[in-house]
Amino acid sequence: MSNALIVVDMQNDFCPGGALAVAGGDEIVAGINALIDRADAVVLTQDWHPATHRSFASQHAGMAPMETIQMPYGAQVLWPDHCVQGTEGAAFHPDLRIDPANLILRKGFRPDIDSYSAFFENDQTTPTGLEGYLRARGLTDLTFVGLATDFCVNYSVLDARKLGFNATVRMDLCRAIDLNGSLDAATDAMRDAGATLALA
Ligand code: VGL
Ligand code: ZN
């Protein structure tokens, strides 16, 4: 059994001052850094959108951020422009230890489809390749930290469980957007899926 630390979207735009700031997003950096040396493998995910990404409210006339629309693959929350490829907002938090990372996995780069999960895009079928990487390296036990608890962490954890990986979520090292009860819903969903929710 080998374990991987999956650090989800610890990027400037999700931290205070960023375009889609998650309250307290920067508070978890030190705790995440401290976990890195204890993992057999470290994966960083990076939300990585083209400037005209369809998840941006700016691409839909008359729509505002945090409103929901129907996309061909289902409901989609519209976000402020964030994590645009190559921008400072898409860069990792400056204090995050990125050098020890074995893999940096970018997602959300297809213009017409969002990708919350680190495993599958929001159509729930287009793979990111992470499953193959983890399996090829024999990494069976995954610990999740990062942003945001109720979106990218949540969907990554649910997919990990569907694929048969063991999943622990360090809830103390995640922070949530919490849109219309999404944090409670995500917490229930992750627990029901068999993830271990830990506070230390
Ligand atoms: C995320 C909304 C849009 C996340 C990414 O990392 O949770 N949320 N893009
Ligand atoms: Zn995004």
Side-chain angles (χ1 to χ4, degrees), residues 9 14 20 47-49 53 55-56 79 82-83 107 114-116 152:
D9 297 1
F14 297 123
L20 180 39
D47 212 37
W48 196 249
H49 299 308
H53 196 252
S55 76
F56 295 170
W79 304 108
H82 67 278
C83 296
K107 60 186 181 62
D114 209 358
S115 187
Y116 294 149
C152 289

Side-chain angles (χ1 to χ4, degrees), residues 152-168:
C152 289
V153 174
N154 175 39
Y155 288 100
S156 298
V157 169
L158 297 182
D159 281 344
R161 292 296 303 141
K162 275 183 207 152
L163 294 168
F165 294 100
N166 297 318
T168 297

Side-chain angles (χ1 to χ4, degrees), residues 62-129:
M63 299 297 291
M66 307 304 177
E67 292 181 341
T68 300
I69 57 157
Q70 278 305 123
M71 297 277 249
Y73 52 81
Q76 170 72 50
V77 178
L78 295 176
W79 304 108
D81 293 16
H82 67 278
C83 296
V84 173
Q85 296 170 6
T87 63
E88 198 49 36
F92 290 111
H93 186 287
D95 297 335
L96 183 69
R97 294 175 58 208
I98 57 175
D99 288 349
N102 299 150
L103 175 71
I104 295 176
L105 182 106
R106 288 173 171 167
K107 60 186 181 62
F109 50 77
R110 289 187 175 80
D112 296 325
I113 180 165
D114 209 358
S115 187
Y116 294 149
S117 167
F119 292 95
F120 296 101
E121 302 197 16
N122 285 13
D123 61 0
Q124 296 179 27
T125 52
T126 305
T128 64

